[in-house]
Amino acid sequence: MLSIIPFYLLFLPLTLVLAILTIGISLFDRSGNLPNRISMFWGGLVCRLAGITVHVDRKNFDPSGKYILMVNHQSWFDIPVLLVALKGHQFRFVAKQSLFRIPFFGHAMTRIGYIGIDRDNPRRGMKSIQEAITKSEHASILIFPEGSRFEKLGDFKIGPMILAIKSGRPVVPVLIAGTYSVLPKDSWRIRPGSVAVRFFPPHEIQDAYTLKERERLKQDMWEIMHAYSKETDEWLDKKRP
């Protein structure tokens, strides 16, 4: 337990300072691009502070494109790890609305251009989906289709499928492995180690699915990401010392 105390003693003030800096810079950069870079800097610092080595495979990823990035969700540490993996690519998170109520941190997320989804109100949820598409005209949209954290791939929600179909953008499956071991759900204890992030070939959406076929897209994406999750676990095992 003592080993995690130094991490949180540094993490909390670091996050506060960079959140305030992000809010200040956003007053002059309405695009959210520079604040997004600050968030990536924060992600790298948090990973180094926690003793996490991030192995990234982007050979199938063209960072100049605009996508729907669908990512499995294992741990709170997915966020800083993804910020490391997506360095050089402009994107915006779609996250649950409650995160935006965290003092300073939530305000910084708003100023960057991240979008909150109200899961308890379907009408507001649909409005948030349209807002995500509008706000992210010049950036990719990153969303966790499971809607919560799972050690193994969980069931997908329908909202991300509606977002993908409405946007018409290619869906890039992104698979994370190892973050559940670093910080399991409902735990505060951080275990240093290696994690992996792999980007797989885009899955075309435009002219391939209608809104009425969102259940088919949900099933297709789950099967694709389930296969890739096994492959990513094996890839990480080879990377570990």
Side-chain angles (χ1 to χ4, degrees):
M1 189 68 181
L2 290 175
S3 63
I4 71 170
I5 293 175
F7 172 83
Y8 287 109
L9 286 176
L10 292 171
F11 168 77
L12 293 173
L14 170 68
T15 300
L16 177 61
V17 168
L18 289 180
I20 293 171
L21 180 62
T22 297
I23 294 167
I25 289 177
S26 70
L27 298 176
F28 305 96
D29 180 9
R30 298 289 183 179
S31 70
N33 291 344
L34 185 54
N36 195 46
R37 290 180 187 174
I38 294 173
S39 72
M40 291 181 175
F41 175 72
W42 171 84
L45 284 179
V46 170
C47 288
R48 286 195 292 273
L49 188 61
I52 295 173
T53 301
V54 184
H55 300 281
V56 183
D57 176 9
R58 300 202 335 179
K59 65 177 181 291
N60 293 306
F61 184 66
D62 177 6
S64 66
K66 303 293 181 290
Y67 311 102
I68 302 298
L69 303 169
M70 283 199 186
V71 190
N72 65 310
H73 198 9
Q74 291 191 342
S75 164
W76 176 89
F77 250 93
D78 292 343
I79 295 170
V81 165
L82 284 167
L83 289 168
V84 171
L86 283 160
K87 186 176 181 179
H89 181 67
Q90 285 296 329
F91 74 99
R92 302 294 182 263
F93 274 109
V94 173
K96 59 184 179 181
Q97 191 66 49
S98 59
L99 291 177
F100 292 79
R101 292 192 283 269
I102 300 173
F104 294 104
F105 182 77
H107 192 188
M109 290 174 65
T110 300
R111 301 301 298 188
I112 292 170
Y114 296 166
I115 300 100
I117 291 286
D118 189 341
R119 297 177 184 167
D120 299 323
N121 188 317
R123 182 174 295 179
R124 288 182 185 173
M126 289 300 295
K127 185 177 179 181
S128 298
I129 287 173
Q130 189 57 52
E131 180 186 357
I133 296 169
T134 302
K135 279 189 173 182
S136 304
E137 182 181 357
H138 303 294
S140 291
I141 301 171
L142 189 152
I143 192 163
F144 299 112
E146 297 156 289
S148 188
R149 291 162 287 169
F150 297 91
E151 183 176 9
K152 301 298 181 182
L153 196 66
D155 293 335
F156 286 1
K157 305 293 185 183
I158 202 65
M161 309 306 139
I162 296 173
L163 171 61
I165 294 169
K166 277 181 168 287
S167 75
R169 299 184 188 185
V171 174
V172 172
V174 183
L175 272 296
I176 293 177
T179 53
Y180 190 89
S181 298
V182 169
L183 185 64
K185 189 175 182 179
D186 301 324
S187 173
W188 289 95
R189 184 179 179 183
I190 297 163
R191 301 167 179 83
S194 295
V195 303
V197 183
R198 300 191 73 196
F199 294 75
F200 290 90
H203 185 68
E204 293 296 334
I205 298 298
Q206 195 164 21
D207 300 324
Y209 299 88
T210 66
L211 276 176
K212 291 182 179 180
E213 297 174 300
R214 53 189 180 270
E215 288 288 346
R216 179 168 69 89
L217 176 58
K218 185 175 78 168
Q219 184 62 31
D220 288 350
M221 290 309 305
W222 191 92
E223 291 176 358
I224 289 169
M225 292 181 68
H226 182 256
Y228 286 152
S229 66
K230 295 179 180 179
E231 189 177 325
T232 303
D233 287 339
E234 293 170 358
W235 188 78
L236 177 58
D237 286 340
K238 294 176 182 177
K239 293 291 182 180
R240 286 185 170 124

